[in-house]
Amino acid sequence: MLRKLSEGAILILPISPILSFLLSLKNLRNKLNGCVFILFYALFGFAHSFSDPRADCYRKMVAFKSFAHSTTISDIWKEFISGNTFDCFEGILFVVCSSFTENIKIVFFIVGLIGAFFAYLLFVRILKYFNIYYGDKYTYIVTIMFVLLLHPIAMGGIRAFIAMTVFSYYTFLFLIEKKNSALIGILSTSLIHFSFILNIIVVIAARLLITRKYINLLWWMAIGACVSSVFITPDFLGGIIAKINIGDFNQAMGNRASSYAAEDTTVAFEESLTFQLQRIGNYFVRGFYIIFLIYLKKNKQKFTVLSNDATLYAYMLFFLTFSYLMTSFSVVGSRYLLLGYLFTYFFLINLYINYSDLYYIKKFIASIPLAYGVNFAWLVMNAWFVLDHRFFYLPAPFLLL
């Protein structure tokens, strides 16, 4: 029954975008379901209300309204090269969009299309690589977690949302499928959001340095980072960043990095509701990772996959170490969880496909939504604040009224 509903997800899209989207995730290898996936993100973008001045999308609305229509792509590039802007994607997007619309909803519709396109490409590559056709309960759960990692709520900031979807897709090609040409796509994300420069360096380092022979050391590093990240304060990492003179390369980047490292920013960050919720949520997630990693180490003799595909395991451990060491850095630390979580889901899918008969692998997958429960509730709360509420319960055409 559910399989039939999934195949007809596109027919449900006008009636209930959310239900249609959830059904499409059961089989993204179906191209019509892929259309549902992409259109859902686009509709999500269009459904932004732009009424909450605290939201990122509100700032983008103000920026787009004040954007000079006489600005050209050449002007944007010159500003970037001269060090007056951090990156250039958003400016180029505004130049293109302002040439045919003044409606910020259309801009976010396009942002949703772009981000969803790369997220969809990633998910299809995952399904093909791990030879998954129709998702059962466990592959569906992991698919949901991939979606929550690249969630459309992040599109309010435009740059970070596009960067993380593009980066995730090309990182999969570069590290998992070993396609060297994907490095161009990875490098391009620094033009979309400058903070991805660090992610780029780490991914290249992983490709060049990380091998299966370091698994034992990487395991201890991942456990250590996961535990110690509880005690690492934003001002500690801020002090390190402050000593790196990024302004020599790009003055705008240097100023932004300095603001992240500033003591006032740290204080304001720690007092915010967002930080408090993320801190609570991350305690549960850390607990999940510690238990999962201990289980893998104690039962490694059961997993020939750790010898047959040990590099994927090594990547996961390396990126978890990086992610948790960075997670406490000011207001942007949580962005660096992307790589750790991304490769955990890759590895879980790999384990499940190869060892679906093992009881505890299924239990770990089934427990992921519980571990991420607080973070998921935070995403839902944010969606409620930034979207036109009609998106949740009325047919899609009502959004146009």
Side-chain angles (χ1 to χ4, degrees):
M1 177 64 177
L2 193 57
R3 181 188 291 264
K4 291 181 179 179
L5 286 173
S6 173
E7 300 306 313
I10 196 164
L11 300 177
I12 304 173
L13 181 64
I15 302 170
S16 176
I18 295 176
L19 176 60
S20 176
F21 176 72
L22 292 174
L23 289 172
S24 74
L25 298 181
K26 292 291 290 183
N27 183 14
L28 283 175
R29 296 186 75 166
N30 179 306
K31 291 184 178 180
L32 288 178
N33 283 355
C35 291
V36 170
F37 180 91
I38 293 172
L39 286 173
F40 174 82
Y41 272 67
L43 287 171
F44 195 101
F46 189 86
H48 277 68
S49 65
F50 306 99
S51 58
D52 188 345
R54 299 168 298 176
D56 287 338
C57 62
Y58 182 87
R59 293 188 295 102
K60 300 304 178 182
M61 181 265 292
V62 173
F64 185 65
K65 280 188 174 182
S66 60
F67 188 76
H69 291 275
S70 60
T71 305
T72 65
I73 292 177
S74 178
D75 295 332
I76 298 297
W77 182 252
K78 288 177 181 177
E79 285 290 294
F80 173 67
I81 293 299
S82 64
N84 295 324
T85 56
F86 329 115
D87 35 55
C88 56
F89 171 80
E90 185 178 291
I92 293 173
L93 176 71
F94 283 1
V95 169
V96 174
C97 291
S98 64
S99 68
F100 63 86
T101 184
E102 295 182 356
N103 188 345
I104 187 63
K105 285 181 170 287
I106 299 297
V107 176
F108 271 79
F109 183 90
I110 294 170
V111 170
L113 284 178
I114 297 171
F117 176 73
F118 283 100
Y120 172 68
L121 289 179
L122 170 66
F123 297 149
V124 170
R125 299 300 289 224
I126 292 169
L127 295 174
K128 289 182 178 179
Y129 184 85
F130 295 109
N131 200 28
I132 301 169
Y133 284 88
Y134 184 83
D136 62 10
K137 179 174 71 173
Y138 299 101
T139 56
Y140 185 69
I141 289 173
V142 180
T143 301
I144 290 288
M145 297 312 297
F146 274 119
V147 171
L148 291 177
L149 186 59
L150 305 177
H151 58 85
I153 301 164
M155 77 173 66
I158 298 181
R159 296 154 54 241
F161 170 69
I162 298 297
M164 71 182 183
T165 55
V166 173
F167 182 81
S168 298
Y169 171 62
Y170 284 110
T171 295
F172 183 87
L173 297 183
F174 185 63
L175 292 182
I176 306 297
E177 297 190 0
K178 306 298 182 184
K179 295 184 182 295
N180 293 330
S181 59
L183 182 59
I184 298 173
I186 291 173
L187 293 173
S188 72
T189 58
S190 64
L191 303 177
I192 302 172
H193 198 296
F194 78 95
S195 69
F196 275 75
I197 292 173
L198 186 54
N199 275 335
I200 292 169
I201 294 171
V202 171
V203 164
I204 294 174
R207 175 72 182 271
L208 295 176
L209 304 175
I210 301 304
T211 65
R212 57 203 295 175
K213 68 180 180 180
Y214 297 122
I215 282 179
N216 190 54
L217 172 62
L218 290 169
W219 186 90
W220 283 106
M221 289 172 59
I223 284 286
C226 193
V227 173
S228 64
S229 63
V230 176
F231 308 102
I232 297 176
T233 60
D235 57 327
F236 172 77
L237 289 172
I240 296 175
I241 297 296
K243 294 178 181 179
I244 303 173
N245 196 0
I246 301 174
D248 288 345
F249 169 71
N250 182 294
Q251 189 59 49
M253 290 185 192
N255 292 338
R256 180 57 64 91
S258 296
S259 70
Y260 287 154
E263 185 177 347
D264 291 345
T265 302
T266 298
V267 172
F269 175 50
E270 290 186 323
E271 291 177 349
S272 70
L273 176 61
T274 296
F275 174 78
Q276 299 302 331
L277 289 176
Q278 287 182 339
R279 171 182 280 176
I280 294 170
N282 283 334
Y283 286 149
F284 289 102
V285 178
R286 284 187 183 93
F288 169 83
Y289 276 110
I290 290 172
I291 295 171
F292 179 53
L293 292 176
I294 291 174
Y295 170 78
L296 289 175
K297 190 170 183 63
K298 285 189 174 182
N299 295 275
K300 61 182 180 181
Q301 70 277 7
K302 296 180 182 178
F303 305 117
T304 56
V305 71
L306 298 189
S307 57
N308 294 337
D309 199 7
T311 303
L312 181 58
Y313 183 35
Y315 283 155
M316 181 190 76
L317 295 172
F318 177 67
F319 290 131
L320 281 176
T321 301
F322 165 71
S323 294
Y324 274 107
L325 288 177
M326 289 299 299
T327 189
S328 297
F329 175 50
S330 191
V331 295
V332 296
S334 59
R335 293 176 186 166
Y336 295 104
L337 290 169
L338 172 66
L339 280 169
Y341 291 174
L342 192 67
F343 276 80
T344 297
Y345 303 153
F346 290 155
F347 189 64
L348 274 171
I349 282 288
N350 200 36
L351 283 180
Y352 177 68
I353 295 301
N354 287 282
Y355 301 99
S356 59
D357 58 324
L358 288 180
Y359 174 78
Y360 281 104
I361 295 301
K362 293 180 179 179
K363 284 296 182 183
F364 276 116
I365 293 176
S367 67
I368 292 177
L370 296 176
Y372 283 83
V374 175
N375 291 340
F376 176 66
W378 180 79
L379 291 177
V380 173
M381 181 185 71
N382 272 272
W384 181 258
F385 283 123
V386 302
L387 293 183
D388 181 335
H389 293 171
R390 294 176 300 173
F391 180 77
F392 295 98
Y393 52 81
L394 289 180
F398 280 87
L399 296 174
L400 304 176
L401 300 177

